[in-house]
């Protein structure tokens, strides 16, 4: 059975801190790993990672995938109160023609609270 | 471009009733997936539709069903509601298999 485990489950930091969120997975026919941010509404897409060792960056957020050790990390530097949210990690498998099989398996998420 | 829309946003039903939720994907997206989100189980995949055909199904009982119309809009139906069906139901649409999924705002279903 496919499995995605995120750690920690929750984290409380002060503004300006740097945080690292972890996601490990066990899935056959792995295609990609995705990170989402969820506030009190729909998850919003952050990153899609398919290749090992290549860092993706967007402002203060960055993420990297290790396909050999089967994990990914999401880093947030200089955290702000607006970063408070649940961060979700999901994996998808290879479907027909090498693309996605269109079924995401999610971890339980990490609840990040950034205090002023 | 308009995002994924879901109706209704909130719903309260009684045990034993049935419910239909609706999802309109981003224009041009033909794949629509449904997910159930609960505090205990997190986000779980229900099913995925493409060109009116169900291509993938998660591990949910037969009370959960869906369909997709020729304009790619999708509906999800839950019959004989149980208290445990209380959840946020999220719909997501996707362009090609190499794109990411975009989620709608969800329908919050409460079963009493």
């Amino acid at each position: 059975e496919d499995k995605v485990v995120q750690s920690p489950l929750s984290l409380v930091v002060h503004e300006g801190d740097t945080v690292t969120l972890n996601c490990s997975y066990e899935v056959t026919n792995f295609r990609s790993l995705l990170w989402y941010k969820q506030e009190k509404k729909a998850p919003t897409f952050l990153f899609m990672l398919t290749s090992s060792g290549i860092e993706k960056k967007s402002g203060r957020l960055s993420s990297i995938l290790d396909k050999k050790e089967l994990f990914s990390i999401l880093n947030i530097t200089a955290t702000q109160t607006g970063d408070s949210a649940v961060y979700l990690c999901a994996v998808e498998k290879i479907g027909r023609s090498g693309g996605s099989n269109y079924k995401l398996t999610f971890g339980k998420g990490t609840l990040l609270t950034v205090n002023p | 471009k308009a995002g994924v829309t879901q109706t209704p946003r909130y719903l309260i039903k009684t045990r034993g009733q049935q419910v239909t939720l609706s999802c309109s994907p981003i224009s041009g997206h033909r794949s629509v997936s449904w997910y159930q989100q609960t505090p205990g189980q997190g986000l779980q995949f229900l099913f995925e539709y493409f060109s009116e055909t169900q291509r993938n199904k998660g591990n949910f009982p037969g009370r959960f069903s869906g369909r997709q119309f020729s304009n790619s809009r999708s509906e999800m139906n839950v019959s004989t509601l149980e208290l445990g069906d209380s959840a946020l139901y999220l719909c997501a649409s996707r362009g090609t298999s190499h794109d990411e999924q975009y989620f709608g705002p969800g329908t919050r279903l409460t079963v009493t």
Side-chain angles (χ1 to χ4, degrees), chain A residues 33-90:
Chain A
L33 184 144
L34 299 93
W35 285 97
Y36 287 86
K37 176 183 180 182
Q38 186 176 28
E39 296 163 275
K40 291 180 182 175
K41 46 187 179 175
T44 53
F45 172 79
L46 295 174
F47 299 111
M48 176 189 276
L49 303 155
T50 54
S51 300
S52 211
I54 297 175
E55 186 182 46
K56 293 232 174 166
K57 289 197 76 165
S58 177
R60 296 175 295 101
L61 276 67
S62 64
S63 184
I64 197 160
L65 174 68
D66 186 327
K67 287 169 78 171
K68 185 178 174 189
E69 300 298 329
L70 308 182
F71 78 90
S72 173
I73 59 172
L74 175 68
N75 276 322
I76 308 175
T77 59
T79 51
Q80 302 170 356
T81 54
D83 295 327
S84 296
V86 173
Y87 290 84
L88 295 163
C89 169

Side-chain angles (χ1 to χ4, degrees), chain A residues 1 31-32 34 36 38-48 86 88 92 95-109, chain B residues 9 31 33 35 37 39-45 48 50 55-59 88 90 94-106:
Chain A
E1 189 184 318
R31 177 179 181 266
S32 62
L34 299 93
Y36 287 86
Q38 186 176 28
E39 296 163 275
K40 291 180 182 175
K41 46 187 179 175
T44 53
F45 172 79
L46 295 174
F47 299 111
M48 176 189 276
V86 173
L88 295 163
E92 62 178 2
R96 285 177 249 176
S97 69
S100 168
N101 74 338
Y102 289 86
K103 175 186 171 184
L104 296 182
T105 300
F106 281 85
K108 295 282 176 69
Chain B
R9 294 292 310 281
S31 169
S33 298
Y35 293 84
Q37 187 173 32
Q41 298 300 318
L43 257 164
Q44 292 185 287
F45 174 81
E48 185 253 348
F50 182 90
R55 294 196 300 187
N56 268 304
K57 192 176 189 314
N59 298 323
L88 179 66
L90 291 161
R94 192 167 196 166
T96 71
S97 66
H98 300 279
D99 297 330
E100 64 269 18
Q101 286 190 351
Y102 293 91
F103 283 86

Side-chain angles (χ1 to χ4, degrees), chain B residues 14-90:
Chain B
T14 305
R15 262 182 306 176
Q17 289 186 313
Q18 75 163 19
V19 67
T20 299
L21 312 181
S22 181
C23 171
S24 292
I26 291 171
S27 177
H29 285 189
R30 291 162 65 190
S31 169
V32 174
S33 298
W34 288 90
Y35 293 84
Q36 180 196 65
Q37 187 173 32
T38 59
Q41 298 300 318
L43 257 164
Q44 292 185 287
F45 174 81
L46 280 156
F47 28 65
E48 185 253 348
Y49 286 87
F50 182 90
S51 291
E52 303 177 65
T53 300
Q54 186 184 90
R55 294 196 300 187
N56 268 304
K57 192 176 189 314
N59 298 323
F60 279 82
R63 300 185 297 107
F64 291 81
S65 63
R67 58 178 176 166
Q68 186 180 34
F69 301 95
S70 57
N71 62 357
S72 294
R73 190 177 71 84
S74 177
E75 286 182 347
M76 191 194 96
N77 184 277
V78 188
S79 62
T80 320
L81 284 165
E82 300 176 1
L83 294 178
D85 297 333
S86 295
L88 179 66
Y89 290 89
L90 291 161

